[in-house]
Amino acid sequence: MSSKKPVVVLDGGTGSSLAEMGFQEIEGDPLWSALVVNTSPQAVVDLHKAFLQNGADVVVSATYQASIEGHMKRFGLSEAQAADLITEGVNLARRARNEVQENTGRACWVAGSVGPYGAILCDRSEYNGRYAESMSIQELTSWHIPRLAAILKGQPDILAIETIPVVKEVEAILESLKKFPGAKAWVSYQCKDGGHTGHGENIRDAMRAAVQSDQVVAVGVNCTSPSHITPILQAVEPLRLTVPILVKPNRGCDSLGYVSEQTSSKLSLAEMATEWIAQGASMVGGCCEYNPGDIGELRRSLEARADITLCGMTRLLTN
């Protein structure tokens, strides 16, 4: 039996990569990357394909900041049309995946992005979760259910419940997910340091809460400074989690969630991944400011290692 560690390569930052491609108008827009789903859908397909062609096993749909009310207000759509536009974000990812699979024969997955309520507020509150202090579980649940329905209508392989800064919202989303019993998800928290979510809960308690649901098949962190990843992995090691651990750091953020030269890592994603995999991560990619080229470098680095097998999501989740 092989002693090689199975690892999956995730994609990078969708919104930041679209901005790098020239779509600067998404900066500050309440829809963020979801704006381009409506205005330039082929560009979204092209970006997903670029991530996959550079070695990502999974692409995450451009639905992170999408909401029914957001689409209605931004484009003057009906509720049904707005929901369909969220679904289209997943469809574009699937189109890219299907084209790459047909050309390469490599099995790839689509993850439907489920971002936090705080993302639509456009006040950086996905980095602190304070909005949840004045919202009940029921209010959060009621808000997430229509988005989940629209995302799942696009038939993603898995849901990426991502950049969640507060345990209360994870609990609400997982409660909402019970209405879709066939759906599986990964949960990734946004963390402000090496031991706490953006809202301040102990990351060990937060991960423990996420894996209580049998619909959660992986857990981890994303949009978190690279400097925090190793301490987080060390903090959760005593849990002896039986699901894969994922990490998708941003390039380095300050306390307000902005990437800056002061906080940006001087090491490449590929260089840092070696340590994270040694600490227990088995799904590795990037978030804000990591583009397809970074993912390509990561893939090549991991392919060169004799102690790792790049196995793809299906094998990882059935190991």
mmCIF file with all atom_site columns, all heavy atoms in Angstrom, residues 255-281:
data_model
loop_
_atom_site.group_PDB
_atom_site.id
_atom_site.type_symbol
_atom_site.label_atom_id
_atom_site.label_alt_id
_atom_site.label_comp_id
_atom_site.label_asym_id
_atom_site.label_entity_id
_atom_site.label_seq_id
_atom_site.pdbx_PDB_ins_code
_atom_site.Cartn_x
_atom_site.Cartn_y
_atom_site.Cartn_z
_atom_site.occupancy
_atom_site.B_iso_or_equiv
_atom_site.pdbx_formal_charge
_atom_site.auth_seq_id
_atom_site.auth_comp_id
_atom_site.auth_asym_id
_atom_site.auth_atom_id
_atom_site.pdbx_PDB_model_num
ATOM 1   N N   . SER A 1 255 ? -5.556  43.905 9.210  1.00 0.00 ? 255 SER A N   1
ATOM 2   C CA  . SER A 1 255 ? -6.703  43.666 10.077 1.00 0.00 ? 255 SER A CA  1
ATOM 3   C C   . SER A 1 255 ? -8.032  44.031 9.439  1.00 0.00 ? 255 SER A C   1
ATOM 4   O O   . SER A 1 255 ? -9.095  43.608 9.899  1.00 0.00 ? 255 SER A O   1
ATOM 5   C CB  . SER A 1 255 ? -6.540  44.451 11.388 1.00 0.00 ? 255 SER A CB  1
ATOM 6   O OG  . SER A 1 255 ? -6.458  45.846 11.117 1.00 0.00 ? 255 SER A OG  1
ATOM 7   N N   . LEU A 1 256 ? -8.009  44.809 8.346  1.00 0.00 ? 256 LEU A N   1
ATOM 8   C CA  . LEU A 1 256 ? -9.240  45.189 7.659  1.00 0.00 ? 256 LEU A CA  1
ATOM 9   C C   . LEU A 1 256 ? -9.521  44.294 6.455  1.00 0.00 ? 256 LEU A C   1
ATOM 10  O O   . LEU A 1 256 ? -10.511 44.462 5.759  1.00 0.00 ? 256 LEU A O   1
ATOM 11  C CB  . LEU A 1 256 ? -9.152  46.648 7.199  1.00 0.00 ? 256 LEU A CB  1
ATOM 12  C CG  . LEU A 1 256 ? -9.092  47.700 8.313  1.00 0.00 ? 256 LEU A CG  1
ATOM 13  C CD1 . LEU A 1 256 ? -8.920  49.084 7.694  1.00 0.00 ? 256 LEU A CD1 1
ATOM 14  C CD2 . LEU A 1 256 ? -10.345 47.647 9.172  1.00 0.00 ? 256 LEU A CD2 1
ATOM 15  N N   . GLY A 1 257 ? -8.629  43.335 6.215  1.00 0.00 ? 257 GLY A N   1
ATOM 16  C CA  . GLY A 1 257 ? -8.842  42.431 5.106  1.00 0.00 ? 257 GLY A CA  1
ATOM 17  C C   . GLY A 1 257 ? -8.246  42.895 3.796  1.00 0.00 ? 257 GLY A C   1
ATOM 18  O O   . GLY A 1 257 ? -8.551  42.352 2.739  1.00 0.00 ? 257 GLY A O   1
ATOM 19  N N   . TYR A 1 258 ? -7.378  43.904 3.822  1.00 0.00 ? 258 TYR A N   1
ATOM 20  C CA  . TYR A 1 258 ? -6.745  44.387 2.608  1.00 0.00 ? 258 TYR A CA  1
ATOM 21  C C   . TYR A 1 258 ? -5.340  43.816 2.465  1.00 0.00 ? 258 TYR A C   1
ATOM 22  O O   . TYR A 1 258 ? -4.542  43.847 3.409  1.00 0.00 ? 258 TYR A O   1
ATOM 23  C CB  . TYR A 1 258 ? -6.660  45.918 2.625  1.00 0.00 ? 258 TYR A CB  1
ATOM 24  C CG  . TYR A 1 258 ? -7.999  46.607 2.558  1.00 0.00 ? 258 TYR A CG  1
ATOM 25  C CD1 . TYR A 1 258 ? -8.611  47.089 3.714  1.00 0.00 ? 258 TYR A CD1 1
ATOM 26  C CD2 . TYR A 1 258 ? -8.651  46.766 1.341  1.00 0.00 ? 258 TYR A CD2 1
ATOM 27  C CE1 . TYR A 1 258 ? -9.852  47.718 3.651  1.00 0.00 ? 258 TYR A CE1 1
ATOM 28  C CE2 . TYR A 1 258 ? -9.884  47.393 1.273  1.00 0.00 ? 258 TYR A CE2 1
ATOM 29  C CZ  . TYR A 1 258 ? -10.476 47.882 2.428  1.00 0.00 ? 258 TYR A CZ  1
ATOM 30  O OH  . TYR A 1 258 ? -11.692 48.494 2.358  1.00 0.00 ? 258 TYR A OH  1
ATOM 31  N N   . VAL A 1 259 ? -5.040  43.303 1.286  1.00 0.00 ? 259 VAL A N   1
ATOM 32  C CA  . VAL A 1 259 ? -3.691  42.820 1.019  1.00 0.00 ? 259 VAL A CA  1
ATOM 33  C C   . VAL A 1 259 ? -2.764  44.033 0.932  1.00 0.00 ? 259 VAL A C   1
ATOM 34  O O   . VAL A 1 259 ? -3.068  45.019 0.273  1.00 0.00 ? 259 VAL A O   1
ATOM 35  C CB  . VAL A 1 259 ? -3.653  42.023 -0.295 1.00 0.00 ? 259 VAL A CB  1
ATOM 36  C CG1 . VAL A 1 259 ? -2.221  41.624 -0.632 1.00 0.00 ? 259 VAL A CG1 1
ATOM 37  C CG2 . VAL A 1 259 ? -4.528  40.782 -0.198 1.00 0.00 ? 259 VAL A CG2 1
ATOM 38  N N   . SER A 1 260 ? -1.640  43.964 1.616  1.00 0.00 ? 260 SER A N   1
ATOM 39  C CA  . SER A 1 260 ? -0.695  45.080 1.607  1.00 0.00 ? 260 SER A CA  1
ATOM 40  C C   . SER A 1 260 ? 0.729   44.555 1.541  1.00 0.00 ? 260 SER A C   1
ATOM 41  O O   . SER A 1 260 ? 0.988   43.377 1.814  1.00 0.00 ? 260 SER A O   1
ATOM 42  C CB  . SER A 1 260 ? -0.861  45.933 2.868  1.00 0.00 ? 260 SER A CB  1
ATOM 43  O OG  . SER A 1 260 ? -0.459  45.198 4.014  1.00 0.00 ? 260 SER A OG  1
ATOM 44  N N   . GLU A 1 261 ? 1.663   45.419 1.184  1.00 0.00 ? 261 GLU A N   1
ATOM 45  C CA  . GLU A 1 261 ? 3.061   45.006 1.113  1.00 0.00 ? 261 GLU A CA  1
ATOM 46  C C   . GLU A 1 261 ? 3.582   44.582 2.479  1.00 0.00 ? 261 GLU A C   1
ATOM 47  O O   . GLU A 1 261 ? 4.434   43.709 2.599  1.00 0.00 ? 261 GLU A O   1
ATOM 48  C CB  . GLU A 1 261 ? 3.918   46.150 0.564  1.00 0.00 ? 261 GLU A CB  1
ATOM 49  C CG  . GLU A 1 261 ? 3.711   46.417 -0.921 1.00 0.00 ? 261 GLU A CG  1
ATOM 50  C CD  . GLU A 1 261 ? 4.663   47.459 -1.446 1.00 0.00 ? 261 GLU A CD  1
ATOM 51  O OE1 . GLU A 1 261 ? 5.576   47.856 -0.696 1.00 0.00 ? 261 GLU A OE1 1
ATOM 52  O OE2 . GLU A 1 261 ? 4.493   47.879 -2.603 1.00 0.00 ? 261 GLU A OE2 1
ATOM 53  N N   . GLN A 1 262 ? 3.048   45.194 3.521  1.00 0.00 ? 262 GLN A N   1
ATOM 54  C CA  . GLN A 1 262 ? 3.521   44.884 4.873  1.00 0.00 ? 262 GLN A CA  1
ATOM 55  C C   . GLN A 1 262 ? 3.122   43.476 5.309  1.00 0.00 ? 262 GLN A C   1
ATOM 56  O O   . GLN A 1 262 ? 3.836   42.825 6.063  1.00 0.00 ? 262 GLN A O   1
ATOM 57  C CB  . GLN A 1 262 ? 2.963   45.906 5.871  1.00 0.00 ? 262 GLN A CB  1
ATOM 58  C CG  . GLN A 1 262 ? 3.580   47.298 5.783  1.00 0.00 ? 262 GLN A CG  1
ATOM 59  C CD  . GLN A 1 262 ? 3.128   48.057 4.549  1.00 0.00 ? 262 GLN A CD  1
ATOM 60  O OE1 . GLN A 1 262 ? 2.019   47.843 4.064  1.00 0.00 ? 262 GLN A OE1 1
ATOM 61  N NE2 . GLN A 1 262 ? 3.977   48.922 4.023  1.00 0.00 ? 262 GLN A NE2 1
ATOM 62  N N   . THR A 1 263 ? 1.969   43.019 4.841  1.00 0.00 ? 263 THR A N   1
ATOM 63  C CA  . THR A 1 263 ? 1.480   41.711 5.280  1.00 0.00 ? 263 THR A CA  1
ATOM 64  C C   . THR A 1 263 ? 1.671   40.629 4.232  1.00 0.00 ? 263 THR A C   1
ATOM 65  O O   . THR A 1 263 ? 1.491   39.452 4.527  1.00 0.00 ? 263 THR A O   1
ATOM 66  C CB  . THR A 1 263 ? -0.015  41.796 5.644  1.00 0.00 ? 263 THR A CB  1
ATOM 67  O OG1 . THR A 1 263 ? -0.745  42.309 4.517  1.00 0.00 ? 263 THR A OG1 1
ATOM 68  C CG2 . THR A 1 263 ? -0.243  42.698 6.836  1.00 0.00 ? 263 THR A CG2 1
ATOM 69  N N   . SER A 1 264 ? 2.006   41.004 3.016  1.00 0.00 ? 264 SER A N   1
ATOM 70  C CA  . SER A 1 264 ? 2.149   40.027 1.943  1.00 0.00 ? 264 SER A CA  1
ATOM 71  C C   . SER A 1 264 ? 3.326   39.094 2.204  1.00 0.00 ? 264 SER A C   1
ATOM 72  O O   . SER A 1 264 ? 4.399   39.520 2.611  1.00 0.00 ? 264 SER A O   1
ATOM 73  C CB  . SER A 1 264 ? 2.345   40.741 0.611  1.00 0.00 ? 264 SER A CB  1
ATOM 74  O OG  . SER A 1 264 ? 2.492   39.798 -0.436 1.00 0.00 ? 264 SER A OG  1
ATOM 75  N N   . SER A 1 265 ? 3.095   37.794 1.961  1.00 0.00 ? 265 SER A N   1
ATOM 76  C CA  . SER A 1 265 ? 4.148   36.810 2.170  1.00 0.00 ? 265 SER A CA  1
ATOM 77  C C   . SER A 1 265 ? 5.240   36.955 1.118  1.00 0.00 ? 265 SER A C   1
ATOM 78  O O   . SER A 1 265 ? 4.983   37.229 -0.045 1.00 0.00 ? 265 SER A O   1
ATOM 79  C CB  . SER A 1 265 ? 3.573   35.396 2.108  1.00 0.00 ? 265 SER A CB  1
ATOM 80  O OG  . SER A 1 265 ? 4.604   34.445 2.150  1.00 0.00 ? 265 SER A OG  1
ATOM 81  N N   . LYS A 1 266 ? 6.472   36.783 1.543  1.00 0.00 ? 266 LYS A N   1
ATOM 82  C CA  . LYS A 1 266 ? 7.607   36.846 0.625  1.00 0.00 ? 266 LYS A CA  1
ATOM 83  C C   . LYS A 1 266 ? 7.869   35.494 -0.029 1.00 0.00 ? 266 LYS A C   1
ATOM 84  O O   . LYS A 1 266 ? 8.652   35.385 -0.956 1.00 0.00 ? 266 LYS A O   1
ATOM 85  C CB  . LYS A 1 266 ? 8.861   37.312 1.376  1.00 0.00 ? 266 LYS A CB  1
ATOM 86  C CG  . LYS A 1 266 ? 8.717   38.681 2.035  1.00 0.00 ? 266 LYS A CG  1
ATOM 87  C CD  . LYS A 1 266 ? 8.397   39.769 1.012  1.00 0.00 ? 266 LYS A CD  1
ATOM 88  C CE  . LYS A 1 266 ? 8.372   41.151 1.641  1.00 0.00 ? 266 LYS A CE  1
ATOM 89  N NZ  . LYS A 1 266 ? 7.229   41.349 2.546  1.00 0.00 ? 266 LYS A NZ  1
ATOM 90  N N   . LEU A 1 267 ? 7.224   34.450 0.462  1.00 0.00 ? 267 LEU A N   1
ATOM 91  C CA  . LEU A 1 267 ? 7.394   33.115 -0.092 1.00 0.00 ? 267 LEU A CA  1
ATOM 92  C C   . LEU A 1 267 ? 6.286   32.823 -1.097 1.00 0.00 ? 267 LEU A C   1
ATOM 93  O O   . LEU A 1 267 ? 5.184   33.360 -1.002 1.00 0.00 ? 267 LEU A O   1
ATOM 94  C CB  . LEU A 1 267 ? 7.359   32.065 1.014  1.00 0.00 ? 267 LEU A CB  1
ATOM 95  C CG  . LEU A 1 267 ? 8.457   32.137 2.066  1.00 0.00 ? 267 LEU A CG  1
ATOM 96  C CD1 . LEU A 1 267 ? 8.218   31.088 3.144  1.00 0.00 ? 267 LEU A CD1 1
ATOM 97  C CD2 . LEU A 1 267 ? 9.828   31.939 1.439  1.00 0.00 ? 267 LEU A CD2 1
ATOM 98  N N   . SER A 1 268 ? 6.561   31.962 -2.049 1.00 0.00 ? 268 SER A N   1
ATOM 99  C CA  . SER A 1 268 ? 5.535   31.565 -3.008 1.00 0.00 ? 268 SER A CA  1
ATOM 100 C C   . SER A 1 268 ? 4.578   30.577 -2.348 1.00 0.00 ? 268 SER A C   1
ATOM 101 O O   . SER A 1 268 ? 4.896   29.945 -1.326 1.00 0.00 ? 268 SER A O   1
ATOM 102 C CB  . SER A 1 268 ? 6.174   30.913 -4.237 1.00 0.00 ? 268 SER A CB  1
ATOM 103 O OG  . SER A 1 268 ? 6.689   29.626 -3.898 1.00 0.00 ? 268 SER A OG  1
ATOM 104 N N   . LEU A 1 269 ? 3.405   30.455 -2.939 1.00 0.00 ? 269 LEU A N   1
ATOM 105 C CA  . LEU A 1 269 ? 2.423   29.487 -2.450 1.00 0.00 ? 269 LEU A CA  1
ATOM 106 C C   . LEU A 1 269 ? 3.015   28.085 -2.464 1.00 0.00 ? 269 LEU A C   1
ATOM 107 O O   . LEU A 1 269 ? 2.826   27.302 -1.520 1.00 0.00 ? 269 LEU A O   1
ATOM 108 C CB  . LEU A 1 269 ? 1.177   29.554 -3.336 1.00 0.00 ? 269 LEU A CB  1
ATOM 109 C CG  . LEU A 1 269 ? -0.043  28.740 -2.908 1.00 0.00 ? 269 LEU A CG  1
ATOM 110 C CD1 . LEU A 1 269 ? -0.560  29.202 -1.555 1.00 0.00 ? 269 LEU A CD1 1
ATOM 111 C CD2 . LEU A 1 269 ? -1.146  28.857 -3.969 1.00 0.00 ? 269 LEU A CD2 1
ATOM 112 N N   . ALA A 1 270 ? 3.753   27.766 -3.513 1.00 0.00 ? 270 ALA A N   1
ATOM 113 C CA  . ALA A 1 270 ? 4.371   26.437 -3.615 1.00 0.00 ? 270 ALA A CA  1
ATOM 114 C C   . ALA A 1 270 ? 5.347   26.182 -2.480 1.00 0.00 ? 270 ALA A C   1
ATOM 115 O O   . ALA A 1 270 ? 5.392   25.080 -1.905 1.00 0.00 ? 270 ALA A O   1
ATOM 116 C CB  . ALA A 1 270 ? 5.077   26.296 -4.962 1.00 0.00 ? 270 ALA A CB  1
ATOM 117 N N   . GLU A 1 271 ? 6.135   27.188 -2.119 1.00 0.00 ? 271 GLU A N   1
ATOM 118 C CA  . GLU A 1 271 ? 7.111   27.025 -1.038 1.00 0.00 ? 271 GLU A CA  1
ATOM 119 C C   . GLU A 1 271 ? 6.424   26.817 0.304  1.00 0.00 ? 271 GLU A C   1
ATOM 120 O O   . GLU A 1 271 ? 6.839   25.987 1.119  1.00 0.00 ? 271 GLU A O   1
ATOM 121 C CB  . GLU A 1 271 ? 8.016   28.255 -0.975 1.00 0.00 ? 271 GLU A CB  1
ATOM 122 C CG  . GLU A 1 271 ? 8.979   28.381 -2.142 1.00 0.00 ? 271 GLU A CG  1
ATOM 123 C CD  . GLU A 1 271 ? 9.720   29.710 -2.158 1.00 0.00 ? 271 GLU A CD  1
ATOM 124 O OE1 . GLU A 1 271 ? 9.079   30.764 -1.966 1.00 0.00 ? 271 GLU A OE1 1
ATOM 125 O OE2 . GLU A 1 271 ? 10.944  29.686 -2.367 1.00 0.00 ? 271 GLU A OE2 1
ATOM 126 N N   . MET A 1 272 ? 5.363   27.566 0.552  1.00 0.00 ? 272 MET A N   1
ATOM 127 C CA  . MET A 1 272 ? 4.665   27.465 1.828  1.00 0.00 ? 272 MET A CA  1
ATOM 128 C C   . MET A 1 272 ? 3.861   26.176 1.952  1.00 0.00 ? 272 MET A C   1
ATOM 129 O O   . MET A 1 272 ? 3.680   25.640 3.043  1.00 0.00 ? 272 MET A O   1
ATOM 130 C CB  . MET A 1 272 ? 3.754   28.679 2.021  1.00 0.00 ? 272 MET A CB  1
ATOM 131 C CG  . MET A 1 272 ? 4.524   29.977 2.158  1.00 0.00 ? 272 MET A CG  1
ATOM 132 S SD  . MET A 1 272 ? 3.457   31.414 2.472  1.00 0.00 ? 272 MET A SD  1
ATOM 133 C CE  . MET A 1 272 ? 2.644   31.603 0.877  1.00 0.00 ? 272 MET A CE  1
ATOM 134 N N   . ALA A 1 273 ? 3.374   25.667 0.826  1.00 0.00 ? 273 ALA A N   1
ATOM 135 C CA  . ALA A 1 273 ? 2.521   24.472 0.853  1.00 0.00 ? 273 ALA A CA  1
ATOM 136 C C   . ALA A 1 273 ? 3.238   23.267 1.445  1.00 0.00 ? 273 ALA A C   1
ATOM 137 O O   . ALA A 1 273 ? 2.605   22.401 2.059  1.00 0.00 ? 273 ALA A O   1
ATOM 138 C CB  . ALA A 1 273 ? 2.038   24.158 -0.554 1.00 0.00 ? 273 ALA A CB  1
ATOM 139 N N   . THR A 1 274 ? 4.550   23.192 1.275  1.00 0.00 ? 274 THR A N   1
ATOM 140 C CA  . THR A 1 274 ? 5.315   22.071 1.819  1.00 0.00 ? 274 THR A CA  1
ATOM 141 C C   . THR A 1 274 ? 5.099   21.944 3.325  1.00 0.00 ? 274 THR A C   1
ATOM 142 O O   . THR A 1 274 ? 4.847   20.850 3.846  1.00 0.00 ? 274 THR A O   1
ATOM 143 C CB  . THR A 1 274 ? 6.818   22.259 1.523  1.00 0.00 ? 274 THR A CB  1
ATOM 144 O OG1 . THR A 1 274 ? 7.032   22.218 0.111  1.00 0.00 ? 274 THR A OG1 1
ATOM 145 C CG2 . THR A 1 274 ? 7.648   21.171 2.192  1.00 0.00 ? 274 THR A CG2 1
ATOM 146 N N   . GLU A 1 275 ? 5.172   23.070 4.016  1.00 0.00 ? 275 GLU A N   1
ATOM 147 C CA  . GLU A 1 275 ? 4.983   23.052 5.465  1.00 0.00 ? 275 GLU A CA  1
ATOM 148 C C   . GLU A 1 275 ? 3.539   22.737 5.832  1.00 0.00 ? 275 GLU A C   1
ATOM 149 O O   . GLU A 1 275 ? 3.275   21.973 6.763  1.00 0.00 ? 275 GLU A O   1
ATOM 150 C CB  . GLU A 1 275 ? 5.381   24.404 6.053  1.00 0.00 ? 275 GLU A CB  1
ATOM 151 C CG  . GLU A 1 275 ? 5.242   24.476 7.571  1.00 0.00 ? 275 GLU A CG  1
ATOM 152 C CD  . GLU A 1 275 ? 5.818   25.765 8.130  1.00 0.00 ? 275 GLU A CD  1
ATOM 153 O OE1 . GLU A 1 275 ? 6.986   26.060 7.825  1.00 0.00 ? 275 GLU A OE1 1
ATOM 154 O OE2 . GLU A 1 275 ? 5.101   26.459 8.866  1.00 0.00 ? 275 GLU A OE2 1
ATOM 155 N N   . TRP A 1 276 ? 2.584   23.286 5.099  1.00 0.00 ? 276 TRP A N   1
ATOM 156 C CA  . TRP A 1 276 ? 1.178   23.076 5.428  1.00 0.00 ? 276 TRP A CA  1
ATOM 157 C C   . TRP A 1 276 ? 0.772   21.619 5.239  1.00 0.00 ? 276 TRP A C   1
ATOM 158 O O   . TRP A 1 276 ? 0.011   21.071 6.037  1.00 0.00 ? 276 TRP A O   1
ATOM 159 C CB  . TRP A 1 276 ? 0.302   23.987 4.582  1.00 0.00 ? 276 TRP A CB  1
ATOM 160 C CG  . TRP A 1 276 ? 0.598   25.449 4.786  1.00 0.00 ? 276 TRP A CG  1
ATOM 161 C CD1 . TRP A 1 276 ? 1.149   26.034 5.906  1.00 0.00 ? 276 TRP A CD1 1
ATOM 162 C CD2 . TRP A 1 276 ? 0.392   26.508 3.854  1.00 0.00 ? 276 TRP A CD2 1
ATOM 163 N NE1 . TRP A 1 276 ? 1.288   27.386 5.728  1.00 0.00 ? 276 TRP A NE1 1
ATOM 164 C CE2 . TRP A 1 276 ? 0.827   27.710 4.481  1.00 0.00 ? 276 TRP A CE2 1
ATOM 165 C CE3 . TRP A 1 276 ? -0.133  26.572 2.565  1.00 0.00 ? 276 TRP A CE3 1
ATOM 166 C CZ2 . TRP A 1 276 ? 0.751   28.947 3.842  1.00 0.00 ? 276 TRP A CZ2 1
ATOM 167 C CZ3 . TRP A 1 276 ? -0.208  27.801 1.927  1.00 0.00 ? 276 TRP A CZ3 1
ATOM 168 C CH2 . TRP A 1 276 ? 0.228   28.975 2.573  1.00 0.00 ? 276 TRP A CH2 1
ATOM 169 N N   . ILE A 1 277 ? 1.288   21.004 4.197  1.00 0.00 ? 277 ILE A N   1
ATOM 170 C CA  . ILE A 1 277 ? 0.971   19.594 3.967  1.00 0.00 ? 277 ILE A CA  1
ATOM 171 C C   . ILE A 1 277 ? 1.573   18.737 5.078  1.00 0.00 ? 277 ILE A C   1
ATOM 172 O O   . ILE A 1 277 ? 0.947   17.801 5.574  1.00 0.00 ? 277 ILE A O   1
ATOM 173 C CB  . ILE A 1 277 ? 1.467   19.156 2.574  1.00 0.00 ? 277 ILE A CB  1
ATOM 174 C CG1 . ILE A 1 277 ? 0.612   19.841 1.495  1.00 0.00 ? 277 ILE A CG1 1
ATOM 175 C CG2 . ILE A 1 277 ? 1.407   17.639 2.420  1.00 0.00 ? 277 ILE A CG2 1
ATOM 176 C CD1 . ILE A 1 277 ? 1.169   19.715 0.098  1.00 0.00 ? 277 ILE A CD1 1
ATOM 177 N N   . ALA A 1 278 ? 2.774   19.086 5.502  1.00 0.00 ? 278 ALA A N   1
ATOM 178 C CA  . ALA A 1 278 ? 3.404   18.371 6.617  1.00 0.00 ? 278 ALA A CA  1
ATOM 179 C C   . ALA A 1 278 ? 2.600   18.521 7.903  1.00 0.00 ? 278 ALA A C   1
ATOM 180 O O   . ALA A 1 278 ? 2.605   17.633 8.762  1.00 0.00 ? 278 ALA A O   1
ATOM 181 C CB  . ALA A 1 278 ? 4.831   18.879 6.824  1.00 0.00 ? 278 ALA A CB  1
ATOM 182 N N   . GLN A 1 279 ? 1.891   19.643 8.028  1.00 0.00 ? 279 GLN A N   1
ATOM 183 C CA  . GLN A 1 279 ? 1.092   19.897 9.225  1.00 0.00 ? 279 GLN A CA  1
ATOM 184 C C   . GLN A 1 279 ? -0.332  19.336 9.121  1.00 0.00 ? 279 GLN A C   1
ATOM 185 O O   . GLN A 1 279 ? -1.125  19.510 10.044 1.00 0.00 ? 279 GLN A O   1
ATOM 186 C CB  . GLN A 1 279 ? 1.019   21.407 9.484  1.00 0.00 ? 279 GLN A CB  1
ATOM 187 C CG  . GLN A 1 279 ? 2.341   22.034 9.886  1.00 0.00 ? 279 GLN A CG  1
ATOM 188 C CD  . GLN A 1 279 ? 2.790   21.605 11.267 1.00 0.00 ? 279 GLN A CD  1
ATOM 189 O OE1 . GLN A 1 279 ? 2.001   21.182 12.104 1.00 0.00 ? 279 GLN A OE1 1
ATOM 190 N NE2 . GLN A 1 279 ? 4.094   21.703 11.515 1.00 0.00 ? 279 GLN A NE2 1
ATOM 191 N N   . GLY A 1 280 ? -0.661  18.689 8.011  1.00 0.00 ? 280 GLY A N   1
ATOM 192 C CA  . GLY A 1 280 ? -1.947  18.004 7.934  1.00 0.00 ? 280 GLY A CA  1
ATOM 193 C C   . GLY A 1 280 ? -2.887  18.426 6.831  1.00 0.00 ? 280 GLY A C   1
ATOM 194 O O   . GLY A 1 280 ? -3.931  17.791 6.617  1.00 0.00 ? 280 GLY A O   1
ATOM 195 N N   . ALA A 1 281 ? -2.567  19.478 6.092  1.00 0.00 ? 281 ALA A N   1
ATOM 196 C CA  . ALA A 1 281 ? -3.446  19.899 4.999  1.00 0.00 ? 281 ALA A CA  1
ATOM 197 C C   . ALA A 1 281 ? -3.356  18.916 3.838  1.00 0.00 ? 281 ALA A C   1
ATOM 198 O O   . ALA A 1 281 ? -2.275  18.425 3.506  1.00 0.00 ? 281 ALA A O   1
ATOM 199 C CB  . ALA A 1 281 ? -3.062  21.294 4.523  1.00 0.00 ? 281 ALA A CB  1
#
